[in-house]
Each structure stands twice: as structure tokens, then as C-alpha cells.
Amino acid sequence: MDALVCVEPGRLELAQRPVPEAPRPGWVLVDVAYVGICGTDYHIYEGKHPFLAYPRVMGHEISGRVAAPGDGVALQVGQPVIVNPYLACGHCVACRQDKPNACVAIEVLGVHRDGAMAEQVLVPESNLYPAGDLSLREAATVEFLAIGAHAVRRAQPWAGARALVIGAGPIGLGTALFARIAGLDVTLLDTSAERLAFAREELGFATIDGSADVPAVVAARTDGESFDFVFDATGNAQSMQGAFAYVAHGGTLVLVSVVKDAIAFSDPEFHKREMSVVGSRNATREDFEHVVRSLREGLVPVAKLLTHETTLGGAIADLPRWAATRAGLVKALVKVGG
């Protein structure tokens, strides 16, 4: 079968890979339809991912159709499905608490093992959710939107609260959309004028220019009280540290993205606010199902988010170009099957 392989940093090849073996009981062979390109994929291509062995078939934002179900699987051949790419062990301390997204031995498709930038992928049935009447293009957005939905759920927000989302990339936009669905009054902060214009003009969010005097603007926007909920989706240590200052007394900071660096903060400022700091990692079935319901109800303007599309062969040129300059790019899809 055809597969797009990142042979080494900066080098992509369209290669022939063996078709996956017939699925064992409880597993399913999936014909891949669409794969979203994530920031993780760009980092893999650029050699910036800290825990990756090359060569690697990328791709973890996946939609497809059941090709061959293993014994005991209820899904039917041809059924459209959404793939949860987080393969958990099922018995570690996190899994026992129903938190497979934080599994001690987690394997993510396209990162720890080969992913879905290939014609077929083998997945446990427990990681497949029926797409129902969603189009396969829409179904390929569920995973990245679930990251934001999970971050909002982790915050335990209340309707009417003021929320600041820092970072207007795809994950930040997804977080902002699901914060709005949860009833929050959402503002987006970024240093990119293009991203802010998209968030403001296409999605209807209030915005703050990160190159301005942000503390002064935050104070003016919140009557000096700061934001009840702050979500940092930048993947930037300096931004994550700065986010502490924008949280109201009694408020919550959710760190959506992750960095290798140590994060430092002022303990007196942290304590006087009695603020909560929450980590958010991946997503669970509950978040995937919330996203699917929201898409069906028309609460997510998914057509505006899907700005670019390519093929496995076309991605050899397109992915490096998009990694170098993302002007006009929100979310790109790779069309594999149909």
C-alpha cells in the first residue's frame, strides 16, 4: 500500500508498505479517508519532536471506513468511523481511573507507532467511534477539536465566565470554540495579525494583539479583575509563564500545550489568587462524542477551518511548504481514500 514516510527530518517519501495483517480479535483494519495535518506532524518533519524514531508514517487526525473487523467486533464493513489515536494499556494507574488519555504507556498513532498517512491502518475497536452522518472530511477534524473540548472540560467552567485563550492556531481556535459552546465569554490573544483577523472576522471572537501592552488591555477588558479562565495553547514556555498574570483571583489556568522547558511562576502571586493550574492532555471518548454532537448541531463552523487539502503524493511538496509558511492556513487535510 502507499504510505507517506518521513524518512528523516526534512525528507518525505511516498513508499510502498506491507498491507497490515488481518486484524486479531477486537481490532479493526480501517481504510483511511482523510488525515488532518497537525502541529506535531510539522514538528516531526522539522526534526523538533523529542521522542520520535525515524522513519515514521505520520498522521493521527483520522477518518475512514471499516475494511475488515476482527472477531468480536460489532462494527460493519464499510461503516464510516472516527479514530481515537491514543492507544492505552488499559491497566495502569491512569487507565484504572478512566483516564486513558494519560496512560503511563500510551502509544499515539503517527508518533510512537506508524500512523494513518497510508491507505490502511490497524486500530483497536475501542478506539473507533461511528461517524454517523458526518462527512468523512468533517470526521477528520474531530480529534483536534476534541483536544480543545477536553481542555474546556478540565477547567470545569461556568456559563458567563470570562475566558482568555492564548494562541490562535488550530488547537487554540478549537479551545475557543468549545469554551464558547460552554457559555463562556471568550477572548483570543495572539501575536499574529492574520490569525487574529480570522478569529475576529470569521469566527466572531474578541481579540487582543499580543504585541500591545497586554496587561493593560486585559485590565481594561475585565474591569481590572483579569480572566476567570485562561487557556494557553501556544507551546511556548514564555507565554505559559506569562499566562499566570492574566488569571483572576479564584480563577483557573489550563495549560493545553506542552513544552520540554521548566515553567516558573511567582508563588506569592499564585497563592494570593488561590488559583488553580490544570494540565490538559489529549482527549477521551467523552470529548470525541461532545465534538460529534456539536458538529451535528452546527455549532462548529468546520468549513471555515478546513482551508487546505492535498494528497499523499502532493504532501511531499505541500507539507514542507506549509511548515515554512502558514499564511492563510488553519487546517490542512490529506485525502487518502474516499
Side-chain angles (χ1 to χ4, degrees), residues 5 22 31 44 52-53 81 87 93 103 109 121 123 145 147 157 174 177 202 225 269 281 313 322 325:
V5 182
D31 287 328
I44 292 170
L52 191 110
V81 290
L87 277 57
V93 61
C103 173
L109 295 176
V121 65
V123 186
L145 291 169
I147 299 294
L177 286 165
E202 297 297 328
E225 294 182 339
E269 290 295 321
R281 185 185 186 193
W322 295 334
T325 175

Side-chain angles (χ1 to χ4, degrees), residues 41 59 70 80 95 111 117 121 123 129-130 157 186 199 215 224 226 292 305-306 315:
D41 301 316
C95 289
V111 180
M117 289 192 187
V121 65
V123 186
Y129 313 138
V186 183
S226 295
V292 170
L305 302 176
L306 296 176

Side-chain angles (χ1 to χ4, degrees), residues 20-110:
E21 296 179 1
R24 59 184 184 269
W27 284 64
V28 180
L29 185 63
V30 175
D31 287 328
V32 178
Y34 287 91
V35 184
I37 300 178
C38 173
T40 297
D41 301 316
Y42 294 119
H43 288 159
I44 292 170
Y45 169 75
E46 294 166 332
K48 296 179 181 178
H49 199 287
F51 307 115
L52 191 110
Y54 296 89
R56 177 61 71 224
V57 177
M58 301 176 291
H60 62 272
E61 301 177 3
I62 312 158
S63 69
R65 294 183 182 275
V66 172
D71 290 343
V73 171
L75 295 168
Q76 302 299 309
V77 172
Q79 186 170 353
V81 290
I82 299 155
V83 178
N84 178 335
Y86 317 121
L87 277 57
C89 73
H91 54 75
C92 73
V93 61
C95 289
R96 293 197 306 270
Q97 297 179 67
D98 198 26
K99 296 181 179 180
N101 57 304
C103 173
V104 171
I106 198 167
E107 288 190 303
V108 181
L109 295 176

Side-chain angles (χ1 to χ4, degrees), residues 247-273:
V247 182
H249 283 236
T252 298
L253 170 62
V254 182
L255 300 178
V256 188
S257 52
V258 61
V259 293
K260 292 192 295 181
D261 311 86
I263 301 297
F265 59 90
S266 165
D267 186 63
E269 290 295 321
F270 169 75
H271 265 88
K272 79 178 185 181
R273 287 170 166 80

